[in-house]
């Protein structure tokens, strides 16, 4: 663990995923599990076959229960600290696929309080505004409005705090300090926070009064939260939440670092065509110093951010991606060609996304859940 | 500080109040301040002249502002961990007097979450039920229903958590550890909690959108919470809350210990006549081994719990209390006489209190403030 560090708020260095699996104690998604999933979904999402969603906790139990008629619900979320970029979209695409294939409900948490506690430059008001802003991107994904609830922690804080209190009561500071990188100089909001992130894992159980299995699709850096939740929730007579976990989408800059930070060479969902083109043109690739050299020696897709964007987001056809890989290595394909290909894919995707994002403003209320309490009226005599 | 310890959750040993004043950095209420208060109240409450409300923070500023027309409001509260006893009533009597004399609003906080976090044998549900139960005793005091708002932290948690988050963001674990007796084995609810107790100190400012001075009458053990609040709230552009602080009412058992714990030789507001008589008959006094010896050598009011109950709660006439003191020391007055006197006083007080407590059930809604959100409806599609 010397060369990288992964906490929910910080991803540093080149992540060694096999080490991470060991350290976190998560399971690799193997062929047997893929076969089991396929039984229900008929086809497998390329994220599963590409190893982008690569690890899990208790997926077999989720399917056991599902097969018995005890249907799970999905819980995922977003820390609203800025604009949504393609790295955020990736797990949502997969979550949408799960919702469609299994016909299940989704609880989507906007962690506005978290971003306020952890980011010095974000006020609570700003985080609350971003939560609503970011929700437009979630809605634009096309989640079923009848089965999808989006909320922010402060927006339904009566519900959240009442449940979080029960959870917080079972978590000591020493239990979370190390895995969250906290210390005595941390503010007490940060220290309390993980109990808020655990709540949606029991939300449907609380609402219905029955225990309902919960499956959380998320990027692997969030695992420490749910490790704690899995430890505590059974003590409150709830199921342990299951999870299915993905890699980070890399940034477009050199180094191939998988970064959870905002805006490090990221493409935002609101970027216009010129910006997208510029960002991709400047992206770090596995190309050589000159076209001549590349034709002779070939390029290196393994370190190429353009290739990774294709592989992880925009080219789900295995045949095509293999061809690109091969042609690149042989020097038959230059970076310019890949960049244009990726630009077209992104522009196509975002054009549709942006128009759906506009429409999302009209149907916002079909998704958004908020406690309505006017403080002034509440205390009026 | 070797022989006693005072935190909001634990009072151990014989409290040396002069040491406490130094350690906490609070001000003694002096003659000048009494004179200033009297200018507005015409008479002084015996708790002020008896030195029961003995210390303060910024009372002069509260009066400065009041005299300029910037009227303060009162904030006090109760940790609902059991039945209300006479020790709790004491500061409420004084709070009522302040409300009447200054004609001001009162925000009364039931810290149900706190009691859940800090008492192993109290569930959150139990604490919530006790909050409503204890509110009957508050209402029975006769606070002005038009100017009094009673609420529990979980009952208005949307409001509370949204404000507490802003406060928690400014408090580090190292800032509170020592004064609250917390450590790394403390649950994270305990660690977060003080930010909830700070909220009512800005409540009226938040509701009205204007800065309103806040005066907190409370027992001295709660000072650490408000020290933190005074440190943090100005950073959020609110006033520092002022306070006026009282001694603890001692228990009825030997030792004369001032104890904040529940039920240590306490008389509950719901005790019947037989129970009251029994408790007082068994109370620890400053009497001698025999009536004969006491007539010869005299008794000691200083260590006598019966005398303290008279002095602190039930005999506010200075002449009478001096006579009792004198007669006791001279051996002219035996313990039985004092016990009967106190019993009569308590029975008289509680008879009235209990009937007002019954009536409180009918007018409960005039005082109680709660956010109305049915979780099931909230998430209904």
């Amino acid at each position: 663990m010397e060369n990288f560090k992964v906490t929910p708020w910080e991803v540093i260095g080149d992540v060694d995923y096999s080490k991470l699996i060991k350290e976190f104690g998560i399971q690799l998604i193997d062929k047997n599990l893929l076969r089991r999933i396929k039984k229900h979904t008929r086809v497998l999402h390329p994220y599963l076959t590409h190893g982008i969603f690569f690890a899990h906790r208790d997926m077999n139990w989720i399917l056991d229960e599902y097969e018995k008629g005890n249907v799970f619900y999905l819980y995922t979320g977003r820390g609203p600290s800025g604009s949504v970029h393609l790295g955020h979209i990736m797990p949502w695409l997969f979550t949408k696929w799960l919702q469609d294939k299994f016909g299940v409900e989704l609880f989507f948490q906007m962690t506005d309080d978290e971003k306020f506690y952890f980011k010095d430059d974000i006020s609570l008001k700003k985080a609350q505004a971003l939560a609503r802003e970011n929700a437009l991107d979630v809605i634009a994904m096309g989640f079923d409005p009848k089965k999808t609830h989006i909320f922010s922690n402060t927006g339904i804080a009566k519900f959240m705090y009442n449940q979080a209190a029960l959870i917080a009561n079972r978590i000591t500071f020493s239990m979370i300090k190390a895995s969250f990188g906290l210390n005595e100089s941390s503010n007490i909001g940060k220290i309390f926070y993980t109990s808020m992130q655990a709540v949606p894992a029991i939300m449907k159980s609380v609402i219905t009064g029955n225990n309902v299995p919960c499956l959380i699709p998320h990027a692997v850096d969030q695992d420490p939260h749910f490790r704690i939740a899995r430890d505590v929730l059974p003590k409150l007579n709830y199921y342990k939440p299951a999870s299915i976990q993905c890699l980070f989408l890399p940034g477009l800059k050199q180094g191939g670092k998988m970064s959870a930070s905002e805006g490090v060479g990221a493409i935002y969902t609101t970027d216009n065509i010129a910006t997208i083109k510029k960002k991709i043109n400047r992206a770090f690739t596995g190309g050589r110093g000159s076209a001549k050299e590349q034709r002779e020696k070939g390029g290196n897709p393994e370190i190429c951010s353009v290739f990774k964007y294709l592989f992880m987001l925009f080219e789900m056809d295995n045949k095509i991606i293999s061809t690109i890989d091969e042609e690149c290595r042989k020097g038959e394909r230059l970076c310019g060609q890949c960049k244009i290909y990726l630009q077209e894919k992104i522009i196509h995707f975002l054009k549709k996304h942006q128009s759906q994002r506009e429409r999302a403003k009209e149907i916002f209320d079909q998704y958004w859940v908020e406690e309505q309490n006017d403080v002034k009226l509440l205390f009026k005599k």
Side-chain angles (χ1 to χ4, degrees), chain A:
Chain A
M1 288 300 295
E2 316 82 46
N3 300 321
F4 69 101
K5 184 180 159 192
V6 175
T7 76
W9 301 287
E10 204 177 31
V11 178
I12 295 172
D14 289 319
V15 179
D16 180 335
Y17 285 102
S18 56
K19 271 195 185 170
L20 206 60
I21 284 171
K22 243 192 205 160
E23 199 216 345
F24 282 6
I26 48 184
Q27 305 293 308
L28 265 183
I29 295 176
D30 60 16
K31 282 186 182 166
N32 286 334
L33 179 55
L34 288 181
R35 212 174 297 133
R36 261 198 100 174
I37 294 172
K38 201 176 171 184
K39 235 176 64 190
H40 297 284
T41 59
R42 293 194 204 163
V43 288
L44 283 177
H45 195 284
Y47 284 176
L48 290 168
T49 49
H50 284 196
I52 291 163
F53 271 81
F54 72 107
H56 74 103
R57 291 181 186 272
D58 277 347
M59 265 307 288
N60 279 302
W61 168 76
I62 281 286
L63 294 172
D64 289 346
E65 292 298 313
Y66 185 79
E67 286 162 11
K68 282 189 262 172
N70 191 14
V71 179
F72 61 93
Y73 70 100
L74 296 164
Y75 152 33
T76 195
R78 150 108 185 114
S81 60
S83 298
V84 169
H85 59 61
L86 295 177
H88 305 124
I89 293 282
M90 199 181 73
W92 301 352
L93 280 168
F94 187 68
T95 303
K96 163 91 166 74
W97 183 79
L98 288 171
Q99 178 175 71
D100 291 346
K101 292 296 173 185
F102 289 94
V104 291
E105 255 182 298
L106 166 65
F107 288 79
F108 195 104
Q109 178 185 41
M110 291 289 178
T111 62
D112 50 359
D113 51 347
E114 176 204 14
K115 288 302 160 186
F116 169 62
Y117 293 141
F118 283 89
K119 300 245 171 189
D120 288 343
D121 55 340
I122 293 184
S123 69
L124 188 54
K125 263 194 186 155
K126 175 78 182 162
Q128 286 164 335
L130 284 168
R132 287 172 161 266
E133 194 63 28
N134 290 179
L136 297 176
D137 287 290
V138 178
I139 295 167
M141 306 299 297
F143 289 108
D144 183 346
K146 290 213 179 82
K147 288 180 177 158
T148 305
H149 319 273
I150 310 176
F151 55 89
S152 77
N153 288 345
T154 66
I156 56 163
K158 185 180 181 188
F159 178 84
M160 292 300 296
Y161 183 73
N162 271 269
Q163 298 303 321
L166 298 170
I167 295 164
N169 198 49
R170 304 278 187 154
I171 302 173
T172 66
F173 186 47
S174 56
M175 277 167 70
I176 57 166
K177 223 176 42 153
S179 40
F180 292 146
L182 301 174
N183 57 48
E184 299 207 345
S185 310
S186 302
N187 75 54
I188 59 177
K190 289 185 186 180
I191 295 173
F192 181 74
Y193 173 71
T194 193
S195 57
M196 295 292 277
Q197 190 150 334
V199 174
I202 57 170
M203 210 159 215
K204 199 171 174 188
S205 302
V206 174
I207 294 165
T208 61
N210 295 309
N211 249 346
V212 186
C214 173
L215 173 62
I216 314 174
H218 65 81
V220 66
D221 60 326
Q222 297 296 309
D223 186 70
H225 282 301
F226 303 120
R227 264 195 332 262
I228 296 286
R230 286 169 58 83
D231 183 43
V232 171
L233 297 182
K235 295 176 189 163
L236 301 171
N237 298 316
Y238 294 107
Y239 294 132
K240 288 184 182 193
S243 63
I244 186 158
Q245 309 191 14
C246 68
L247 311 171
F248 311 117
L249 185 73
L252 291 167
K253 304 277 175 201
Q254 180 165 12
K257 264 188 215 169
M258 303 294 193
S259 169
S261 331
E262 306 284 324
V264 180
I267 290 172
Y268 294 100
T269 59
T270 48
D271 281 350
N272 61 27
I273 294 179
T275 308
I276 296 165
K277 284 191 173 169
K278 200 169 69 183
K279 284 182 177 175
I280 298 299
N281 285 337
R282 290 177 183 177
F284 176 75
T285 69
R288 300 285 175 174
S290 68
K292 187 169 172 283
E293 192 190 346
Q294 189 159 346
R295 284 206 184 86
E296 282 167 23
K297 302 185 180 168
N300 182 4
E302 274 166 43
I303 60 162
C304 176
S305 68
V306 173
F307 183 80
K308 281 177 186 156
Y309 267 66
L310 287 170
F311 181 76
M312 295 178 81
L313 261 174
F314 291 108
E315 186 45 76
M316 291 295 121
D317 186 321
N318 276 334
K319 264 190 214 156
I320 298 178
I321 205 79
S322 299
T323 308
I324 292 173
D325 180 85
E326 213 184 300
E327 289 178 356
C328 170
R329 287 177 198 277
K330 285 186 186 162
E332 293 168 3
R333 187 181 178 93
L334 297 190
C335 296
Q337 199 178 340
C338 274
K339 282 178 174 174
I340 288 168
Y341 189 70
L342 178 60
Q343 280 164 350
E344 279 170 2
K345 291 272 186 184
I346 294 178
I347 289 164
H348 176 77
F349 173 83
L350 285 187
K351 216 171 149 183
K352 191 178 155 212
H353 183 85
Q354 284 167 6
S355 101
Q356 285 175 320
R357 198 176 179 283
E358 270 311 300
R359 183 169 135 62
K361 292 174 187 172
E362 290 156 35
I363 54 173
F364 183 83
D365 290 343
Q366 293 178 34
Y367 293 87
W368 189 260
V369 177
E370 184 154 346
E371 291 169 344
Q372 299 300 335
N373 284 297
D374 186 328
V375 178
K376 284 189 188 102
L377 289 178
L378 209 58
F379 285 92
K380 201 155 204 166
K381 293 279 177 177

